[in-house]
Amino acid sequence: MPQDAAHIDHNKLNAFIGQMLSDLGGAASIALVRMGDALGLYKTLQAEGPMTAIELAAAAQVDKRYLREWLSHQAASNYLTYDPASGKFSLSPEQAMVFAIPESPVYLMGGFDLMAAMVDNQAKVQAAFKSGGGVAWGEQAGCMFCAVARFFRPGYHNHLVSTWLPSLDGVVEKLQAGAKVADIGCGHGWSTVLMAAAFPKSQFIGYDFHPGSIEAAQAHAREHNLTNVRFQVGTAKDYPETDLDFVTFFDCLHDMGDPAGAAAHVKQSLKTDGTWMIVEPMAGDRLEDNLNPIGRIYYAASTMVCVPTSLAQEVGTALGAQAGEAKLRDVISAGGFGNIRRATETPFNMVLEARA
Ligand SMILES: C[S@@+](CC[C@H](N)C(=O)[O-])C[C@H]1O[C@@H](n2cnc3c(N)ncnc32)[C@H](O)[C@@H]1O
């Protein structure tokens, strides 16, 4: 039945339209932000300081008419700062942290790559809604793998060695002395390489079932000239390593078809006093706990990437990216781990420690 106009609360309607305009503005920015990244526009502005459109066009070697329109969009989006008096555009220190400084903890370019890959995935996931089947990780559209690696890298770069590992009981001491470590579902291997560089006396092996990701990880390790890390294709349930001191899963347990089976395999691959670190997206246990900006992005990624990935595998548990600690604990303890605790957290991730 059509809504009676008399029942419309115009204040609520206006507020909602305001939200929609902001959302559409964000969605419309995906391609523009990625072009700014690919063409080096943010980096040039960051390096050179305030510039007019003509100055930036010359410095970045792009067409000045296109650039003027792009700059106008960026200023209207509050992604760049415009000074009408001088006609110059600049990146504030805060804008630079998001768009131009890959080492910053809030560098979000990978997020824009991820949004583009999710849009590309629509046809495959839409068909899966009808069939109930999955979309295998290796079949996802665009370079989902590159986008995911880039999205998570700032968190690992800024937290893994400095806070996440020290939050675990006795692990840093073992890594300093020389430990045997496996990083499972390692993707492009950023986490593995960070740990290998920080702990040269330990030996690291990264496993992932996606051959393309393992090739990228191997290339990445070569760039860092590390001799204590290697990468191999393998699943979470069949990697051959045993007597491990430490096993890590970064943002991948919920993607697996059989996370409880993976947990059991981790258990038998560890020494009796070994530790399993599980990094998972931050989430509360109930839907109503996750109705916030971070939950919103993770539920979208979960629908478009994580659930299809899990449903394409055996068992197809499909925990989803917002599983929450209680469901994760169930899966981890099903694998035989009796001691599980939340060791630390960031706004994007929770870090769980599991021991036998
Ligand atoms: C969201 S990505 C995270 C990648 C990487 N750990 C990171 O944080 O950048 C999930 C990864 O899990 C891998 N994966 C999913 N199911 C797997 C399984 N059953 N065995 C091994 N790897 C798996 C995927 O290939 C993918 O690289």
Side-chain angles (χ1 to χ4, degrees):
M1 210 160 108
Q3 269 285 355
D4 182 345
H7 291 143
I8 298 287
D9 178 328
H10 286 279
N11 288 332
K12 282 187 185 165
L13 180 63
N14 286 339
F16 189 51
I17 297 298
Q19 183 199 331
M20 287 301 110
L21 290 177
S22 172
D23 285 4
L24 287 171
S29 302
I30 295 171
L32 286 98
V33 168
R34 295 185 78 225
M35 285 196 298
D37 177 46
L39 296 169
L41 304 179
Y42 297 112
K43 288 241 169 82
T44 307
L45 261 185
Q46 163 70 359
E48 309 286 331
M51 281 195 244
T52 63
I54 289 174
E55 288 166 347
L56 179 57
Q61 298 186 324
V62 297
D63 179 82
K64 59 181 183 301
R65 179 65 192 93
Y66 276 106
L67 183 64
R68 185 150 57 82
E69 219 61 10
W70 182 86
L71 284 165
S72 304
H73 163 268
Q74 296 285 298
S77 305
N78 189 32
Y79 293 176
L80 293 179
T81 305
Y82 175 59
D83 175 25
S86 62
K88 295 195 178 203
F89 298 86
S90 61
L91 276 166
S92 69
E94 298 77 18
Q95 291 164 334
M97 284 178 79
V98 169
F99 292 120
I101 304 175
E103 282 67 42
S104 137
V106 291
Y107 181 67
L108 289 178
M109 204 56 78
F112 284 88
D113 288 352
L114 187 56
M115 298 310 134
M118 279 161 51
V119 170
D120 275 358
N121 240 14
Q122 182 188 335
K124 291 178 179 178
V125 176
Q126 195 171 312
F129 265 70
K130 281 291 193 187
S131 70
V135 183
W137 183 254
E139 298 296 313
Q140 313 236 341
C143 191
M144 184 66 77
F145 336 107
C146 320
V148 165
R150 201 177 186 200
F151 177 69
F152 284 124
R153 181 183 174 272
Y156 304 164
H157 183 81
N158 285 282
H159 303 292
L160 172 54
V161 173
S162 60
T163 46
W164 292 354
L165 295 176
S167 74
L168 306 173
D169 192 14
V171 166
V172 167
E173 290 78 358
K174 284 187 188 174
L175 292 172
Q176 281 167 341
K180 201 171 145 193
V181 184
D183 186 13
I184 310 301
C186 64
H188 284 203
W190 287 107
S191 51
T192 337
V193 165
L194 278 168
M195 293 190 289
F199 299 102
K201 288 191 183 160
S202 288
Q203 292 297 322
F204 294 82
I205 178 155
Y207 282 102
D208 198 287
F209 73 171
H210 180 235
S213 290
I214 288 299
E215 277 172 31
Q218 285 165 338
H220 180 207
R222 278 194 297 275
E223 278 167 29
H224 285 75
N225 289 322
L226 293 167
T227 55
N228 61 333
V229 62
R230 64 196 171 88
F231 292 95
Q232 214 163 295
V233 175
T235 79
K237 280 169 48 177
D238 72 5
Y239 64 87
E241 242 62 38
T242 53
D243 283 330
L244 291 163
D245 296 287
F246 186 41
V247 173
T248 55
F249 277 46
F250 289 89
D251 286 297
C252 60
L253 182 65
H254 66 271
D255 290 316
M256 293 175 180
D258 181 12
H265 191 69
V266 172
K267 171 91 178 348
Q268 63 80 43
S269 74
L270 277 169
K271 287 180 180 162
T272 47
D273 66 345
T275 301
W276 180 20
M277 176 170 78
I278 308 105
V279 176
E280 275 289 303
M282 177 53 82
D285 290 325
R286 301 166 309 166
L287 171 60
E288 53 270 41
D289 301 330
N290 302 325
L291 302 181
N292 55 55
I294 293 197
R296 183 185 188 198
I297 290 173
Y298 275 138
Y299 278 125
S302 189
T303 309
M304 302 306 291
V305 186
C306 311
V307 166
T309 298
S310 178
L311 289 179
Q313 299 180 42
E314 79 284 6
V315 185
T317 301
L319 279 172
Q322 291 288 271
E325 186 173 334
K327 282 202 195 105
L328 293 167
R329 277 174 174 270
D330 286 348
V331 160
I332 295 165
S333 54
F337 289 88
N339 295 305
I340 305 165
R341 71 179 176 99
R342 188 185 297 205
T344 187
E345 62 185 46
T346 66
F348 284 106
N349 284 113
M350 70 174 92
V351 178
L352 302 178
E353 176 191 68
R355 309 184 67 155

